[in-house]
Amino acid sequence: MPSKLFTSLSWHLARRYRRTRHNNAFIRFISASSTLGIGLGVAVLILALSVMNGFEQALKDRLLAVIPHVELDSMEGQLSDWPDTLTTLSWHPAVSAAAPYIKSNGILRQGQQVKGAAVRGILLPDELGITDFNRYLHSGDLDDLTDAQIVLGLGLADAIGVQVGDQLQLMLPQFNPDGRLARSQTVVLTVSAIIQVGGQLDYQQAWVAMPALANWLAMPEGMVHGFAFQLNDVFAAPRVARELGMLSMENVYVQDWVRTQGHLYQDIQMVRSIIYLVLALVIAVACFNIVATLVMAVREKESDIAILLTMGLAPGAVIRTFMWLGWLNGLVGTSIGALIGWLLSRYIEPLFYLLSKVSGKSFLDPSIYFIDFVPSVFLWRDLIWTVLIALSLSLLATLYPAWRASRVQPARVLGQK
């Protein structure tokens, strides 16, 4: 049974006026531009939100897969009796895995090539519980990490010109108990694996066996610098970091990924907010072109309105007629824009890849960003909210012209004919 909404006189009049070509070419142009503007704004907003979702997902899946979510660093420089302490902290319900570490700054050298690096001593089985190295293994293998082996980020390996199986020198500082530099320790290591995550991590980080690094740094037996944790919910890191710090019996510095790498996430959120605001304003401007279209349409249809009012049509029905007429422009533009936005968000990754291949260059520098492609994650809620905003603004834009149409004076208009 047809709905009363679509069988009403107002709806039929609106459809009739929409199908009827305006005599004024300028009215046709403004009407088309408002529809096109709304469609373009909706499509670009859906695409932009999908790309921001993709960057956020890539940050979570790639970068946070290889860096600890939370770290506890000893204030005294060393933590004793670490196995029992780590076991106690691992019982926290938000912690999914934990591992000890020793860290130091060092210098890598191969031939004439020299590069500074952050050297991290790890227990490989424990470390693989908190970092997904195997997922981003560029070359080599991580079946074992002996005292004579080192794992490098791809950027470091390229900077000093080494590959898996090559040897290099690692120079490490040794300090006196008072903190003064005593001497440097130089060891020869073999590159066992190369990791490619993306971003600055590939150019900064090297991994060695924790017992070997402790020996090279002349650390007392059974000491570590800190603990690293992987969490069930990465966005709970600041809260969980404080709770773990309170549980620790040692004096520790509390670090979480939001502090160390959070600028990337904050940048994504800031760009998302700015894009949403700017494109919502673009949609608003396009919607308010409907005002101009309807005002001129009312002037053009004054005779029709006057006759309808003389025949007894209620002013409210006139208001509804022109509200429907303007809202149909918004509905058509929003529908087209939503479809185009959905298609673009689904295929932006292969399109970007094809453009990079054709142009022969990458538009995202992997040495700066942690990815070299444009990710996209389409969410239906983004499409729904965008459509609702566009339709609401379109409806809002019809109110004043529709009210003006209901105020037409039949005696004045017909008297002029």
Side-chain angles (χ1 to χ4, degrees):
M1 180 177 178
S3 170
K4 293 181 179 179
L5 176 66
F6 295 102
T7 57
S8 68
L9 179 60
S10 297
W11 171 253
H12 284 298
L13 285 173
R15 292 180 61 195
R16 181 182 178 85
Y17 285 156
R18 178 170 175 77
R19 289 196 300 265
T20 303
R21 294 183 62 87
H22 297 286
N23 295 326
N24 191 322
F26 185 65
I27 298 179
R28 295 198 298 271
F29 171 75
I30 294 295
S31 178
S33 66
S34 65
T35 302
L36 180 63
I38 293 170
L40 182 61
V42 168
V44 174
L45 181 53
I46 293 172
L47 173 62
L49 292 176
S50 298
V51 171
M52 291 298 103
N53 293 336
F55 273 105
E56 185 175 322
Q57 189 67 38
L59 170 67
K60 184 177 179 180
D61 289 347
R62 293 177 67 90
L63 187 60
L64 297 184
V66 294
I67 67 169
H69 301 163
V70 171
E71 288 184 342
L72 300 183
D73 286 326
S74 172
M75 288 185 178
E76 284 77 23
Q78 297 175 357
L79 294 173
S80 59
D81 193 25
W82 66 265
D84 292 339
T85 302
L86 187 59
T87 300
T88 301
L89 295 177
S90 299
W91 288 345
H92 192 288
V95 174
S96 61
Y101 65 84
I102 295 173
K103 62 182 181 179
S104 175
N105 292 322
I107 297 176
L108 301 175
R109 179 177 178 181
Q110 206 278 339
Q112 299 298 316
Q113 303 298 321
V114 178
K115 183 72 174 177
V119 182
R120 192 177 184 92
I122 59 174
L123 297 177
L124 187 59
D126 292 345
E127 191 70 18
L128 291 178
I130 66 169
T131 57
D132 195 2
F133 281 141
N134 288 315
R135 183 177 175 184
Y136 301 104
L137 188 62
H138 179 268
S139 57
D141 64 74
L142 289 170
D143 295 334
D144 191 19
L145 184 60
T146 68
D147 291 356
Q149 293 178 326
I150 187 170
V151 177
L152 299 177
L154 180 61
L156 274 178
D158 290 342
I160 60 176
V162 295
Q163 298 177 349
V164 171
D166 292 345
Q167 290 188 328
L168 55 78
Q169 291 181 321
L170 171 61
M171 291 175 281
L172 295 165
Q174 289 186 350
F175 296 93
N176 292 323
D178 60 3
R180 292 184 300 172
L181 179 65
R183 62 189 181 91
S184 62
Q185 173 82 358
T186 301
V187 292
V188 177
L189 302 173
T190 301
V191 179
S192 63
I194 295 176
I195 304 295
Q196 182 182 13
V197 179
Q200 290 299 305
L201 188 67
D202 286 350
Y203 295 80
Q204 298 172 347
Q205 194 71 54
W207 296 267
V208 297
M210 191 176 78
L213 184 57
N215 181 51
W216 299 331
L217 297 176
M219 292 179 61
E221 186 176 353
M223 297 289 188
V224 297
H225 285 154
F227 305 127
F229 301 90
Q230 185 187 59
L231 307 182
N232 298 316
D233 180 8
V234 297
F235 298 108
R239 174 183 60 81
V240 176
R242 292 191 297 269
E243 294 175 359
L244 291 173
M246 296 295 293
L247 287 174
S248 175
M249 302 303 294
E250 305 273 357
N251 294 324
V252 293
Y253 294 108
V254 176
Q255 295 283 349
D256 60 79
W257 74 268
V258 177
R259 288 187 180 182
T260 59
Q261 305 290 336
H263 61 281
L264 294 173
Y265 179 73
Q266 292 164 1
D267 288 348
I268 291 172
Q269 299 307 312
M270 182 182 68
V271 172
R272 183 204 300 273
S273 300
I274 293 174
I275 287 176
Y276 209 107
L277 177 61
V278 170
L279 292 178
L281 290 175
V282 169
I283 295 173
V285 170
C287 287
F288 280 96
N289 279 338
I290 296 173
V291 177
T293 302
L294 289 182
V295 167
M296 289 185 286
V298 169
R299 294 294 300 273
E300 187 181 48
K301 303 294 184 183
E302 274 188 339
S303 298
D304 294 354
I305 298 169
I307 293 172
L308 289 170
L309 290 173
T310 302
M311 294 174 63
L313 184 67
V318 176
I319 292 176
R320 289 192 296 272
T321 296
F322 283 91
M323 287 182 67
W324 278 120
L325 179 60
W327 193 73
L328 282 171
N329 276 353
L331 180 61
V332 172
T334 300
S335 301
I336 295 173
L339 177 61
I340 294 174
W342 176 75
L343 290 173
L344 286 175
S345 65
R346 291 289 301 272
Y347 297 105
I348 187 63
E349 290 187 38
L351 287 174
F352 189 87
Y353 178 77
L354 179 61
L355 183 60
S356 298
K357 282 292 185 181
V358 171
S359 64
K361 61 180 180 180
S362 176
F363 295 96
L364 291 178
D365 187 351
S367 66
I368 299 175
Y369 304 97
F370 54 94
I371 55 176
D372 59 357
F373 61 94
V374 174
S376 178
V377 175
F378 173 79
L379 297 177
W380 282 104
R381 70 165 184 262
D382 291 334
L383 184 144
I384 292 171
W385 276 110
T386 302
V387 167
L388 288 176
I389 289 173
L391 293 180
S392 298
L393 291 174
S394 299
L395 187 61
L396 182 64
T398 65
L399 295 179
Y400 173 72
W403 175 80
R404 283 284 302 271
S406 70
R407 306 296 292 178
V408 169
Q409 300 295 324
R412 179 183 61 79
V413 172
L414 297 177
Q416 294 176 350
K417 299 298 181 180

